Amino acid sequence: MKVSSAIRAALAAVLVVATMQAQVKPRPIPRLVEKDGRYALMVDDAPYLVLAAQTRNSSAWPARLPLLWPALEYDHVNTVEIPVYWNQVEAQPGKYDFTVVDMILAEARKHQVHVIPLWFATWKNGSQHFMPDWMKMDTARYAHDVNRNGEAVDSPSPFATASLEADKSAFAALMRHLKEVDPQRTVIMVQVENEPGSYGTVRDFSPAAQKFFDAAVPPEILRAMNVKAAANATWQQAFGADADEYFNAWAVAKYVGQVAAAGKAVYPLPMYANAALRNPLNPGPPSGYESGGPTDNVLSIWKAAAPSLDLLAPDNYQTDPAAYLKDLELYHRADNALFLPETGHPENARFFFKVLGLGGIGFSPSGGNTEAEFRPTDTSKARFDALEPWAQNYRLIGPMQREVARLNFEGKLQAVAEEKGKVSETLGFGTWNALVGYGATGRGPAVGNAIPTGRALVAQLSENQFLITGFYCRIDFRPAGTEEQRRSQQIAIGNGQNPSALIDGKWQHRQFVRVEEGTYENGVFKFQRMWNGDETDWGLKFSDEPVVLRVTLATY
Ligand code: DGJ
């Protein structure tokens, strides 16, 4: 078989990397930590903000890998989400082949990015399409879901114990391999399955499933759903009309949780499951979305049934901004770190700031948004145009992602994204209020951008010093006052008036002591120039340019 030069190069990279492995001093194992209800993904023992892009589903192959990097570099990612295919890893039962995994690691290291492998295994978008061929050909042993009419559907059964045992063994083998070959911790977190659940049936109605459906609901599920029911209540008795869906969520979560646990037992990297979402504002029946996945209405079941998963993550493709934002809120929980493993529709790119504002640990547009359609002959920059809305965010935040992650974990950061009709917002920081306005010109009032693309980030570095950045917005500050005085400030914001507040009967005015533009390099703010005069007299305006300001304030 003629091996293409791309594969030869990649194999050579693997060889080089393999020999270098021996000398690599193991780095700390990444972990998810929580403090005061805030989360951080610790990489090299410090908070890390995942600025990822997901490749397309069929891109994790040696012939394709080298083609991915021009777009990923344009995206300014620090992490790549990329599938690992069970049907490639275990083409023969019990024989595991990690050459592709090793190639992915070698390429990622060469491009100095981290990796989040997506374990495409029992479930991929509710189907078993990435199960090994030898399993697909034996549906008696590796059963599909059966619908109410007794017909097999294109979803794997969570009651197929042979599938579960095979998945656990293969995933544990993958995690064992990663532990052996990745002391530098290129891999920082692992997605277990992909959008697990079922389409075409609300649950498995097979006899194997029905036996459990007619049995008592596990007590931890009754507790999780805060249901007052008899201890031996069946699913139907406890949950009525929701019984089928909740039962499926428990069964799928239990399965995925056992696969994750098998992997964690050998290499305890952070692990998560991703959800195909329902419409949070108008969900409709489970026949209209993927039943059994970690959708917003069954997160507590997933938490109880799959404790080995560190978080549950929404694949947020909502086109209605209200639904998009509602889903961010629903997955931002005291028991769940917010992480967007997939998102899409370029008008949602501004909501990366909203994810930061909710303490999110990372964000990733999906393959269709980040992997330019590859025509190797097309070397024009235009082929990256579709990536720009996403790349714009990462180009700005990337150089200071560690600072942003740390400040967020410390609770010193707020970030917002413009919503239609909301022309300004106030972010409280103790003695100061940061005032964000959209669509303001000159000293004029904030009137909103024609298309809501504004976004702002404000982080407190010390009592009177802030780090600010954003796009298509104006940021200013006012001394914070009592509730009554804040109302006067709110009026002032709308009129774009001077940054002043009435405090204890005395007007206090904001003054900029210094407004320094700069960039972060290895954690150090590098001064570039001072803003003053027209650049500061009417508030600090951010356009589409990637500008970061360190602002020192005082009053008079
Ligand atoms: C969500 C899945 O998780 C992705 O793999 C992909 O199939 C998108 N849907 C659609 O492009």
Side-chain angles (χ1 to χ4, degrees):
M1 174 183 76
K2 194 173 175 328
V3 179
S4 77
S5 54
I7 295 181
R8 263 205 311 278
L11 281 170
V14 170
L15 207 61
V16 166
V17 163
T19 46
M20 283 164 57
Q21 282 310 92
Q23 294 87 30
V24 175
K25 179 172 170 297
R27 294 164 81 155
I29 296 180
R31 65 195 189 283
L32 186 71
V33 297
E34 181 272 336
K35 184 171 182 287
D36 303 333
R38 292 187 297 271
Y39 288 90
L41 179 64
M42 302 296 271
V43 174
D44 289 332
D45 278 342
Y48 177 89
L49 178 62
V50 177
L51 305 176
Q54 184 171 118
T55 69
R56 288 179 182 275
N57 286 180
S58 305
S59 294
W61 291 99
R64 185 79 179 176
L65 282 174
L67 291 174
L68 303 184
W69 295 108
L72 291 169
E73 279 160 4
Y74 185 87
D75 288 331
H76 283 73
V77 302
N78 63 16
T79 306
V80 177
E81 293 180 359
I82 188 164
V84 172
Y85 310 123
W86 188 7
N87 54 357
Q88 183 277 318
V89 162
E90 194 181 0
Q92 303 303 324
K95 292 189 179 60
Y96 303 116
D97 167 14
F98 295 115
T99 45
V100 177
V101 168
D102 292 343
M103 215 166 283
I104 290 169
L105 295 184
E107 291 270 301
R109 289 167 187 153
K110 200 165 68 176
H111 292 85
Q112 297 179 309
V113 295
H114 285 286
V115 172
I116 295 179
L118 314 172
W119 180 233
F120 281 13
T122 296
W123 281 281
K124 181 7 180 123
N125 295 23
S127 295
Q128 65 296 320
H129 298 168
F130 288 84
M131 269 187 180
D133 301 356
W134 48 273
M135 293 178 72
K136 287 181 194 164
M137 305 306 285
D138 183 357
T139 52
R141 186 166 161 71
Y142 308 107
H144 289 212
D145 273 348
V146 170
N147 67 19
R148 226 182 271 277
N149 306 326
E151 298 143 345
V153 298
D154 191 27
S155 274
S157 168
F159 296 94
T161 48
S163 303
L164 171 61
E165 290 313 311
D167 197 337
K168 283 164 63 177
S169 302
F171 186 64
L174 169 64
M175 293 309 293
R176 190 170 302 109
H177 182 73
L178 290 176
K179 183 179 180 180
E180 282 161 17
V181 303
D182 191 26
Q184 54 272 64
R185 315 303 177 202
T186 310
V187 174
I188 53 173
M189 186 156 66
V190 181
Q191 180 180 293
V192 186
E193 314 296 338
N194 188 85
E195 296 194 350
S198 56
Y199 291 106
T201 182
V202 66
R203 69 173 172 92
D204 185 2
F205 287 87
S206 68
Q210 199 57 37
K211 184 161 63 73
F212 286 95
F213 185 76
D214 294 334
V217 179
E220 67 273 15
I221 302 302
L222 293 176
R223 280 196 301 275
M225 296 304 274
N226 201 16
V227 166
K228 301 282 173 282
N232 60 352
T234 65
W235 290 86
Q236 198 61 55
Q237 290 164 343
F239 297 114
D242 295 320
D244 290 330
E245 182 186 5
Y246 288 11
F247 174 75
N248 201 33
W250 167 73
V252 175
K254 204 165 162 51
Y255 185 116
V256 177
Q258 291 176 78
V259 172
K264 277 215 176 204
V266 294
Y267 187 21
L269 282 177
M271 295 182 186
Y272 69 91
N274 66 327
L277 300 182
R278 60 183 203 155
N279 183 322
L281 304 175
N282 179 22
S287 54
Y289 53 85
E290 188 176 30
S291 167
T295 49
D296 66 270
N297 56 328
V298 293
L299 291 176
S300 298
I301 291 179
W302 268 79
K303 288 289 180 185
S308 53
L309 291 172
D310 294 271
L311 64 94
L312 302 169
D315 289 349
N316 201 338
Y317 292 95
Q318 306 288 6
T319 50
D320 169 4
Y324 193 102
L325 294 170
K326 182 67 181 168
D327 273 323
L328 296 187
E329 280 170 38
L330 289 168
Y331 284 81
H332 170 239
R333 295 166 38 130
D335 65 351
N336 195 64
L338 181 62
F339 172 60
L340 251 59
E342 292 182 40
T343 190
H345 307 297
E347 67 278 9
N348 288 331
R350 70 188 191 280
F351 291 136
F352 165 64
F353 278 65
K354 193 67 185 174
V355 169
L356 293 179
L358 291 169
I361 64 167
F363 188 87
S364 177
S366 67
N369 298 268
T370 58
E371 190 184 317
E373 283 302 337
F374 271 87
R375 295 176 296 284
T377 52
D378 176 0
T379 54
S380 68
K381 183 176 171 301
R383 82 177 189 273
F384 295 145
D385 287 355
L387 313 185
E388 181 53 25
W390 313 101
Q392 185 183 35
N393 285 328
Y394 290 1
R395 204 178 291 128
L396 174 68
I397 299 295
M400 57 183 183
Q401 62 94 351
R402 287 287 192 172
E403 285 67 38
V404 167
R406 174 180 56 78
L407 288 161
N408 226 345
F409 187 45
E410 292 169 357
K412 296 173 181 170
L413 182 145
Q414 296 187 52
V416 290
E418 186 178 1
E419 300 164 47
K420 199 135 191 72
K422 196 171 173 184
V423 299
S424 61
E425 39 200 319
T426 303
L427 312 178
F429 287 89
T431 53
W432 290 100
N433 282 342
L435 313 170
V436 178
Y438 306 112
T441 46
R443 186 188 292 278
V447 293
N449 290 304
I451 298 171
T453 51
R455 62 208 86 161
L457 178 151
V458 181
Q460 188 157 25
L461 303 177
S462 63
E463 173 69 22
N464 296 312
Q465 192 174 66
F466 292 84
L467 181 70
I468 67 172
T469 188
F471 291 119
Y472 315 109
C473 69
R474 173 179 65 193
I475 301 175
D476 204 332
F477 291 85
R478 280 191 176 76
T482 61
E483 203 38 56
E484 178 50 39
Q485 286 135 3
R486 281 212 181 103
R487 260 196 284 280
S488 72
Q489 287 175 13
Q490 196 59 35
I491 295 163
I493 299 167
N495 304 330
Q497 299 290 317
N498 278 333
S500 306
L502 199 59
I503 299 180
D504 303 330
K506 182 170 165 294
W507 277 99
Q508 291 205 15
H509 312 278
R510 179 274 297 142
Q511 64 174 329
F512 291 127
V513 176
R514 293 170 71 86
V515 179
E516 303 160 278
E517 181 178 343
T519 56
Y520 270 89
E521 285 170 25
N522 303 318
V524 177
F525 184 82
K526 295 283 187 190
F527 174 83
Q528 287 173 337
R529 65 167 174 150
M530 200 74 77
W531 279 29
N532 208 334
D534 290 351
E535 283 67 44
T536 60
D537 290 351
W538 306 328
L540 306 172
K541 287 198 188 62
F542 292 84
S543 62
D544 59 353
E545 284 300 306
V547 167
V548 175
L549 299 178
R550 184 168 66 181
V551 181
T552 306
L553 303 168
T555 57
Y556 63 90

